[in-house]
Amino acid sequence: EPPAWAPGPAQAAALLEEAADLLVLHRDFAAAVERCEAGCDSLGPGPGPGHERCERFAEVKCSLCVVGIQALAEMNRWREVLSWVLQYYHVPEHLPPKVLELCILLYGKVSEPQVMLEVGSSWLRAHANQGLPEFGSLLELYVAQVLLPLGRFEGAEELVRGCGALGSERRLRCLGTIGESRCRWARRDETRSAAEERQDPAAETLLGVLSQKLLGMVTLLRRALRSMSNHFYLLPYKKMLLATFLLYLVVVRLDPASPTSLPFIYKLVQLFRQAWAAVLSPIHRPPIRD
C-alpha cells in the first residue's frame, strides 16, 4: 500500500522530486505519472489569489504537470495529455505558460495541431494572460505550430496585428513568416493540381488501350459463340457471362486494391456491359427440331 501523503506544497514537492527521479534516472514512466497525480491531488484547491503560498503552490503544481506530460509522451500516451492536464486546471485559460507551451509543441510534433486550436485561442483571449511576460512568445508559437500548419492565415494575421505585446520588429517578422507559409501552401496546391492534370490524360490513354483490348476480346468471343451456338444453345447465359468476365479480369489485370484502378474498373465495367449486349444481340437460339 502506498504511504498516506499529507496535503500541502511541501509533500507535493517531495513527490515531484520522486517523479523526476523515476522519469530521468529509472525511466519508470508509469510510476512517474502516478507520483505526479498524487502530488497534484495532495495540493487540493490551493490558496486564493494574493496568498503568500500561492506562488509556491502554482510553481509546484506546474512542475508536476510538466513531468507528467513528459512521462505520458514517453509512453506514447500523448493523446491523453491535454485531458490529463485539464483535470487539474479545469479550463484552458488557467493553464500555466510552460504547460501550454509543452502541449503546443507536443501536438505539433505528432502532427495533430488541431487539438490545440481552441485551447490556445481561449488562453490567448483571456485578459489575465495578456499581461504575462510569456504572452508574446506563446502567441508566436501558437501561430507557427497551430495556425499555419492548418492553413489559418487570415486568423494568424489578425491575431498578430492585434497583439500589443509584440513590438513592431517582432510583428513584422511574424507577418513575414505568415506570408512565406501562405506562398508555400499556394505552391503546394498548384503542384497538386498540376499533378492531377497530368494524371488525367494518362488515365484516358490507359483507358483507351484497355477498352481496345476488351473490344478485341469481345470480337473473338462473338465469332466463337457464333460457331458454337448450334451445339451449346442450352448453356445458360449467366454461365457464359461469368466465364467472359473472368477472362476479362485475366486480360486487363487490374489491381482492385489500388485506389487509382477504381475509376478504370467502373468505366470498363460499363464498356463490358455494352460489349456483352453487342455480343448477345445477333445470336439467336436455334429452334428445337422435332
Side-chain angles (χ1 to χ4, degrees):
E1 293 291 331
W5 291 311
Q11 187 62 38
L15 290 169
L16 171 63
E17 185 176 354
E18 290 183 27
D21 288 342
L22 289 168
L23 174 69
V24 178
L25 300 179
H26 304 286
R27 300 189 65 79
D28 189 347
F29 307 123
V33 172
E34 291 178 0
R35 295 297 188 278
C36 292
E37 292 174 342
C40 290
D41 292 338
S42 70
L43 289 172
H51 195 278
E52 59 181 3
R53 296 172 56 195
C54 181
E55 184 177 352
R56 175 62 174 166
F57 175 91
E59 180 183 352
V60 173
K61 186 176 181 179
C62 175
S63 299
L64 285 167
C65 287
V66 167
V67 174
I69 290 171
Q70 294 174 344
L72 288 171
E74 290 287 349
M75 292 187 291
N76 201 28
R77 292 168 55 187
W78 52 268
R79 293 178 180 85
E80 307 173 27
V81 165
L82 186 59
S83 59
W84 184 84
V85 168
L86 288 177
Q87 70 179 327
Y88 300 114
Y89 288 99
H90 308 296
V91 292
E93 294 85 348
H94 295 168
L95 291 176
K98 185 62 177 177
V99 172
L100 180 65
E101 178 185 4
L102 275 179
C103 289
I104 291 176
L105 290 173
L106 173 62
Y107 285 101
K109 184 177 181 179
V110 297
S111 300
E112 296 287 344
Q114 69 277 3
V115 175
M116 297 302 299
L117 186 61
E118 294 298 330
V119 174
S121 177
S122 299
W123 193 93
L124 292 170
R125 286 198 306 265
H127 294 290
N129 297 328
Q130 293 177 3
L132 296 175
E134 301 93 345
F135 183 82
S137 299
L138 282 174
L139 185 144
E140 290 181 296
L141 183 66
Y142 176 73
V143 168
Q145 297 291 328
V146 178
L147 294 183
L148 297 187
L150 295 175
R152 305 292 186 96
F153 304 112
E154 292 78 7
E157 290 178 348
E158 181 181 354
L159 191 63
V160 170
R161 295 183 190 278
C163 179
L166 294 176
S168 58
E169 184 177 350
R170 292 177 67 185
R171 184 180 293 108
L172 289 175
R173 183 173 65 250
C174 195
L175 290 173
T177 302
I178 295 172
E180 293 174 0
S181 180
R182 188 197 297 270
C183 292
R184 287 195 299 270
W185 191 285
R187 286 196 299 268
R188 184 173 57 187
D189 289 343
E190 292 175 358
T191 303
R192 185 183 300 113
S193 299
E196 292 175 354
E197 291 177 358
R198 287 195 299 269
Q199 288 176 357
D200 288 340
E204 295 297 332
T205 302
L206 179 58
L207 181 60
V209 172
L210 295 177
S211 62
Q212 289 178 3
K213 288 184 178 181
L214 179 60
L215 291 176
M217 180 191 69
V218 168
T219 302
L220 294 175
L221 182 61
R222 287 183 64 182
R223 295 174 181 174
L225 287 175
R226 285 172 180 171
S227 63
M228 293 187 300
S229 59
N230 292 329
H231 302 282
F232 298 99
Y233 62 89
L234 295 178
L235 185 64
Y237 285 117
K238 290 184 178 180
K239 293 183 179 181
M240 292 296 296
L241 177 62
L242 177 60
T244 306
F245 187 69
L246 293 176
L247 180 60
Y248 145 74
L249 290 179
V250 172
V251 173
V252 176
R253 295 182 180 179
L254 285 177
D255 180 10
S258 174
T260 58
S261 70
L262 294 179
F264 298 147
I265 291 178
Y266 176 76
K267 293 180 180 179
L268 287 173
V269 166
Q270 300 301 319
L271 289 173
F272 175 77
R273 290 176 178 173
Q274 297 173 5
W276 180 249
V279 169
L280 296 181
S281 58
I283 300 176
H284 301 284
R285 183 173 174 177
I288 299 177
R289 299 179 180 179
D290 295 335

